[in-house]
Amino acid sequence: MNDLDNPDQADIPAAGNPVTPPETAPVALPFVPVSSFAFRVPVATDPILDGLVPSADAPQRGMWLAPMNWPLLAIHASLLPDGRVVSFGTPNGGTSQSGRIFDIWDPTSGTGRAAHWQSPNAVGVDSFCASAAWIGAGRLMVAGGNVDRATSVLEVGSNTSTNAASLSAGRWYGTMITLADGRALMVGGGNAYADSGFKNPSAYLNADGGSDIIAMTPEVYSPGSGWTKLSGATSREAFGPDENRYWYPRAWVAPDGRVVGLSGQTLWRLDPNADAGHGGLEVTGRFKSPVNEQTRPNVGVTSSAVMFDTGRVLQTGGNGYRNGDASDADISFFYRTSSSRQATILEFGHGSWPTVNETSPMIHARQWHNATVLANGKVLVSGGTRFANYGGDAAVRNGEIWSPETGQWQEVGAASRIRVYHSTALLMPNGTVLTAGGGQTGPVNNLDAEVFVPPSMFSRDADGTVRLAERPVIEAVTAMAPHYGERMQIKLDKAWPIASVALNGTGNVTHGFDTGQRRLSLAFHQLDDVLEIELPESGSLAPPGYYMLTVLLANGVGSRSVIIRLGLDA
């Protein structure tokens, strides 16, 4: 591994070497199965999968389903605790950048127009290019965007939205995550359409090195108190105009409760509680080189990243600072670069400095793609383009799946639609991945969505017949809103030989980065058709939010997930 304190002592394994997983083997936990379960899991109707006729190669390459119409261009998408999807971005036929309408899709109602319900955003706030995070049970905060200091809250139970306290600075292209203690943290961003800091950083700075354009000081939101600036965490290196580091910084809660991130080349660590609550930030190293056409490093906002295991992030593709358009005649999109194939493991331990391991490069070079961690721990990369934000022959239609056990990539089927800048991807409770959006601006304006069914969801009979694999069924659980460190029990439909239990954070995705994603393996013990699982000890491991609970067989076939609430106040 490469110790970033001593970059000259790098010892990076050859590309493709297996990535040794942490020790997550099941731990024997003595338990007595309960006689009754408080929460029965309803049998969900699933028009997406019911009656599906698999393709002959589905067990190897998965299967893309036919595109379905979508009422708007979904540049933002979040999975709600009841399994519905809220998206927003461009209404009016996908021709305007205006996040003023929330569309809510109910997958149990099918793919037609009747399965969608639309609601105006709070007092018409334009949340285009915003960020989203959970701040309480059923309360999804959407902050920043085109009205760059605005904050609204979607109340999931009533499908309504309300205004919340305004941000202290413009947060167009800012990143918001939920901290270990349940507060929301916002980093990066700037005034709306301040999009070219990387070309001339000094033009975005004041004489004293501060900026009225770029938000280089993080802030936190506490319900009832509003937003508070973390004046001790101001950082040009982490959130400044150089390399457009203020554009959707990659940020995660680390196992020690602090926040770790990657902005351009800068690796950083933020403690929101340091200095009596004023915060503190330290630069912990440099990641790769600047964007260039020779080595094509996996850097910049055009990359994608996902926390696929506790404290472990897969960083893929990129090599771009902004959305270079497909039109050479449009001089406003003046920065166009070839895409990167590189993929890297960033590991953030319990208080240790980050380490970096290269894994196999992707099969296809990509910018503006999405990375989605599946319940079995593998990562699906979908969409993107081999050059800038171009479509046509430059667009990558085939997905590919990375295995943390082997460090290798497997190419899967090709989607029908080009998904580039402003596209989204969400892991769904039924195990599929919903992809949507792409465009405005760009080579497409996609008023549609597609569903990918991963290879692990199919089986092949001895006679060669391909079918959906038989899956474990979770019939009941002892809690839907358990506490950290608790043990809860799961009732299965029969005594399946369960090999692993996973928690996947529900997604909040935009611009190639899903701030809600993370996957954890849980210790468990099984007795016949009952499992007892041990939940994470704290919000440092699983920040307060909603999680998909999945049980899996040794071959990677998982149950339909049950969404539980963890750490959020009712």
Side-chain angles (χ1 to χ4, degrees):
M1 288 188 287
N2 179 13
D3 185 338
L4 294 174
D5 282 335
N6 298 283
D8 294 333
Q9 303 299 316
D11 183 19
I12 299 176
N17 283 1
V19 179
T20 304
E23 295 182 6
T24 55
V27 177
L29 303 172
F31 77 100
V32 177
V34 298
S35 58
S36 62
F37 285 77
F39 299 93
R40 306 294 299 183
V41 177
V43 178
T45 58
D46 194 346
I48 300 297
L49 295 179
D50 291 345
L52 176 66
V53 178
S55 58
D57 62 354
Q60 291 77 42
R61 296 175 62 80
M63 186 175 176
W64 289 93
L65 307 188
M68 54 179 154
N69 293 331
W70 207 260
L72 45 74
L73 197 156
I75 78 161
H76 297 263
S78 295
L79 181 65
L80 301 180
D82 56 10
R84 296 179 300 163
V85 172
V86 61
S87 63
F88 55 96
T90 60
N92 305 321
T95 59
S96 62
Q97 293 192 348
S98 178
R100 300 177 187 272
I101 300 294
F102 288 139
D103 177 82
I104 299 178
W105 173 55
D106 181 0
T108 66
S109 296
T111 60
R113 183 66 186 86
H116 291 261
W117 184 88
Q118 292 187 354
S119 169
N121 185 319
V123 297
V125 170
D126 186 353
S127 297
F128 195 89
C129 295
S131 191
W134 294 101
I135 60 166
R139 306 183 74 233
L140 182 69
M141 174 174 279
V142 181
N146 281 4
V147 181
D148 49 41
R149 299 191 183 200
T151 304
S152 61
V153 176
L154 175 64
E155 304 282 355
V156 175
S158 60
N159 295 334
T160 59
S161 55
T162 57
N163 278 333
S166 296
L167 292 149
S168 67
R171 298 288 181 176
W172 180 83
Y173 268 53
T175 293
M176 183 166 56
I177 63 173
T178 305
L179 295 172
D181 60 11
R183 293 179 297 165
L185 170 74
M186 179 71 87
V187 296
N191 292 353
Y193 295 97
D195 57 2
S196 301
F198 76 96
K199 189 178 183 186
N200 184 13
S202 62
Y204 283 67
L205 299 173
N206 302 329
D208 61 0
S211 179
D212 298 323
I213 301 172
I214 303 304
M216 294 187 288
T217 300
E219 51 191 308
V220 293
Y221 177 86
S222 300
S225 301
W227 292 96
T228 302
K229 295 175 69 172
L230 297 179
S231 57
T234 302
S235 175
R236 174 178 174 178
E237 288 190 85
F239 312 122
D242 315 81
E243 302 176 323
N244 274 10
R245 293 172 191 158
Y246 59 102
W247 271 33
Y248 286 113
R250 284 28 179 157
W252 303 269
V253 174
D256 66 359
R258 289 179 287 186
V259 175
V260 291
L262 173 63
S263 308
Q265 295 179 72
T266 304
L267 285 158
W268 49 269
R269 181 165 56 193
L270 185 156
D271 185 349
N273 299 312
D275 190 20
H278 291 99
L281 186 142
E282 56 185 326
V283 172
T284 57
R286 291 283 182 258
F287 177 74
K288 303 293 180 75
S289 64
V291 168
N292 68 86
E293 286 290 335
Q294 288 71 49
T295 62
R296 300 179 186 176
N298 49 329
V299 299
V301 73
T302 65
S303 66
S304 190
V306 58
M307 185 170 276
F308 67 93
D309 199 356
T310 303
R312 309 175 80 212
V313 168
L314 179 67
Q315 166 76 17
T316 61
N319 191 41
Y321 293 141
R322 60 157 298 157
N323 53 306
D325 193 65
S327 172
D328 290 319
D330 188 346
I331 61 173
S332 67
F333 294 95
F334 48 76
Y335 200 86
R336 296 180 281 269
T337 52
S338 299
S339 304
S340 175
R341 292 178 57 213
Q342 295 179 27
T344 306
I345 308 299
L346 303 174
E347 189 156 358
F348 305 97
H350 290 267
S352 64
W353 296 94
T355 54
V356 176
N357 277 330
E358 295 301 297
T359 189
S360 293
M362 294 185 293
I363 298 167
H364 301 282
R366 302 177 194 255
Q367 292 186 74
W368 295 119
H369 54 293
N370 281 277
T372 309
V373 62
L374 307 177
N376 60 15
K378 296 182 178 181
V379 175
L380 168 71
V381 167
S382 58
T385 171
R386 297 179 182 89
F387 184 78
N389 190 34
Y390 279 42
D393 292 340
V396 184
R397 296 177 184 267
N398 285 87
E400 51 190 294
I401 294 178
W402 176 78
S403 167
E405 285 75 29
T406 66
Q408 300 293 326
W409 295 89
Q410 171 194 356
E411 186 174 70
V412 294
S416 299
R417 298 289 189 263
I418 296 170
R419 305 286 177 195
V420 285
Y421 180 58
H422 283 165
S423 63
T424 49
L426 281 178
L427 178 66
M428 300 295 290
N430 66 357
T432 66
V433 176
L434 174 74
T435 65
Q440 189 53 3
T441 56
V444 292
N445 278 320
N446 286 331
L447 295 170
D448 53 43
E450 291 173 274
V451 170
F452 178 69
V453 188
S456 60
M457 293 182 64
F458 297 97
S459 65
R460 190 184 304 275
D461 295 343
D463 63 0
T465 301
V466 176
R467 65 182 73 250
L468 284 168
E470 189 179 7
R471 308 167 70 181
V473 175
I474 298 176
E475 290 189 335
V477 295
T478 52
M480 294 296 291
H483 297 100
Y484 289 116
E486 278 189 353
R487 296 180 181 183
M488 63 177 284
Q489 293 187 16
I490 299 171
K491 174 71 167 61
L492 305 177
D493 61 327
K494 65 180 182 181
W496 293 88
I498 300 302
S500 61
V501 179
L503 277 185
N504 284 66
T506 57
N508 293 310
V509 60
T510 188
H511 291 76
F513 181 51
D514 189 332
T515 58
Q517 282 196 104
R518 65 171 55 207
R519 180 187 180 276
L520 303 91
S521 295
L522 302 183
F524 73 95
H525 183 66
Q526 180 171 3
L527 183 61
D528 298 326
D529 60 353
V530 177
L531 302 180
E532 184 169 79
I533 62 173
E534 187 171 337
L535 292 162
E537 288 291 334
S538 71
S540 299
L541 299 174
Y546 291 95
Y547 290 84
M548 287 181 279
L549 174 65
T550 313
V551 299
L552 299 105
L553 306 177
N555 59 5
V557 174
S559 66
R560 181 182 177 88
S561 302
V562 173
I563 300 178
I564 64 172
R565 189 179 86 221
L566 190 60
L568 290 177
D569 293 332

